[in-house]
Each structure stands twice: as C-alpha cells, then as structure tokens.
Amino acid sequence: MDGLRDLVRELVIDIAALQRPLSRCDLGRCRGTCCHDGVYLDRDEVGVLFSLVRDHRDDLNALGLELPDQPIIQGNWRGVVSGPKTATRSEPMAANAEDYPAHFPDTACVFLLSDARCALQQFAMEQGRDPWFYKPATCWLHPLAIERNEKDVPLLTLHGPETDPQRFPDYDGFASRTPCGVSPAVGGRAAWEVLSQEISRLGEIGGRDLLAEIRTGVGEK
C-alpha cells in the first residue's frame, strides 16, 4: 500500500485516454476474462495474500475454491514481466465466456470462483471490509493502468489496441482485448465516469481528489 500511495501522490492523469468510452464488465458474459492468467504481485501484495491463505485457507475454500498448495508462484511472461503472481488452474474459458480472445489460454486465476466472482473480494465483503481490501491493485483498477511516462513520472492511463503494452505480432494484447477494456465501446461512457469508484479509491490512497482533477481537466463544472 505504501508503494501505491507514493505513486498516486506523484502521478499525472492521461485526461485524453480517460475520456474514451467504456462499458462496465458483465461477469455473466465475460466470466472473468481478465483473470485468465492470474496477476503479478508487488511485495506488499504477496505478504497480504500469503497471510490470508495461511490464516483463512479453509474459509476461502468454503467459498468454492480448491486452492493449490502454492497459490502464489514465480512467473515470467515473455521476459516482459516476471516475479511473484497468483497461480492458475485449467478452466474452459473459451467455452464459457463470450468473445473470448483466441490468443488467451484456457486458464483462470486460482482465486476466481466458478461464478466468475473474485474470492478475495467476496471474502473481504463477508468480513465487512472494503471489497478491495485483499485484492491486488492491478485487479481492481483494471482496465486502468499506472505506468511510467517518458519523463519517468507515474501516469494513470487507459490503453487501446494501438498502445497496449502486451501486444506482439503473435499476441494481440491484453487489457484492450478484455470486454471491460474494449474502447471505444459502443454505447459506453467516458472511462473516468464508468470507473469513478476505482479512481476515487485510488485518490483516497494517495490523498488526492482525482475525480475533481479529471473534471477540471475535461472542463466540467
């Protein structure tokens, strides 16, 4: 959390990107498409999930999971990103999710429930906590991204097909290919409006009113 707090205090906002139209995800249709490969974790998130599984494995399994002995593993994706991440299990995503990208594998994060909800979020809610209390930031911010710009300053942005950092000749992107990340979305609204809850929470972490800053940036009163 400290690392994210520091990023938020420094970040600049990609106003143009956040005005692109998005639609909210529909778990009944996408079945957690964005969760197909698990998620890479920072050091704090590893500690949170390790403690959670150690202390509440039975409670998490009671939600419908079958957690492996090692739910956190070392990953390496094309040499682009490596480090600790949540493990995955075999899952017929292509058969269950609408318009599932052909280049996505039939796997799912081990914390994804059979109804496509996140067990980490569900468990937090059952405890009366913030829904994202245990959930990695990359997950609850999706499809938003925080990355370094050309001046090495954190940037809050939204990727489209042309800027998706995980797009290669043989791999047609990640965030921009998930249903909630497709932009422009037919009938959608500005991304900052659709994701106002996430942006507001991000601002709270860093002590900023990011929504107010965005409204000023787009000329709203």
Side-chain angles (χ1 to χ4, degrees):
M1 183 67 77
D2 289 341
L4 183 58
R5 182 181 298 111
D6 291 341
L7 281 177
V8 175
R9 288 173 176 169
E10 297 179 41
L11 67 75
V12 295
I13 304 169
D14 189 345
I15 297 293
L18 296 189
Q19 292 187 75
R20 295 165 60 179
L22 284 185
S23 294
R24 267 289 183 188
C25 69
D26 179 350
L27 291 181
R29 299 177 62 186
C30 81
R31 307 301 297 174
T33 293
C34 66
C35 307
H36 78 271
D37 192 39
V39 61
Y40 282 85
L41 309 166
D42 66 23
R43 183 173 58 183
D44 291 341
E45 291 167 342
V46 169
V48 168
L49 294 189
F50 179 83
S51 297
L52 176 65
V53 172
R54 180 194 62 203
D55 298 337
H56 296 283
R57 177 182 286 270
D58 290 344
D59 296 318
L60 291 169
N61 285 339
L63 294 175
L65 298 180
E66 293 184 9
L67 287 176
D69 292 339
Q70 293 184 312
I72 299 174
I73 62 172
Q74 286 294 122
N76 188 321
W77 192 80
R78 291 176 171 256
V80 175
V81 58
S82 62
K85 67 181 293 288
T86 57
T88 60
R89 65 173 186 269
S90 295
E91 189 75 14
M93 298 293 287
N96 295 333
E98 293 186 19
D99 300 320
Y100 191 69
H103 62 291
F104 285 3
D106 272 335
T107 56
C109 175
V110 293
F111 292 102
L112 188 69
L113 296 171
S114 61
D115 60 4
R117 292 178 302 156
C118 174
L120 300 175
Q121 182 167 329
Q122 184 62 25
F123 184 65
M125 293 170 64
E126 290 187 0
Q127 287 191 316
R129 296 183 182 275
D130 181 301
W132 301 325
F133 185 82
Y134 299 112
K135 200 165 183 176
T138 300
C139 296
W140 62 262
L141 282 172
H142 183 81
L144 295 172
I146 298 177
E147 60 185 35
R148 296 278 176 176
N149 64 13
E150 66 280 359
K151 296 181 179 179
D152 198 33
V153 176
L155 177 74
L156 178 65
T157 190
L158 174 72
H159 288 296
E162 68 283 354
T163 62
D164 193 321
Q166 294 177 321
R167 191 174 187 186
F168 298 88
D170 61 341
Y171 190 89
D172 196 26
F174 171 63
S176 66
R177 294 299 311 278
T178 61
C180 60
V182 172
S183 179
V186 177
R189 295 182 294 123
W192 69 269
E193 295 179 319
V194 173
L195 301 172
S196 60
Q197 185 178 4
E198 288 85 348
I199 293 171
S200 178
R201 176 65 181 127
L202 188 65
E204 290 173 2
I205 290 171
R208 293 173 62 179
D209 189 342
L210 294 179
L211 284 177
E213 294 179 36
I214 293 171
R215 290 190 179 100
T216 298
V218 300
E220 282 200 0
K221 297 183 178 178

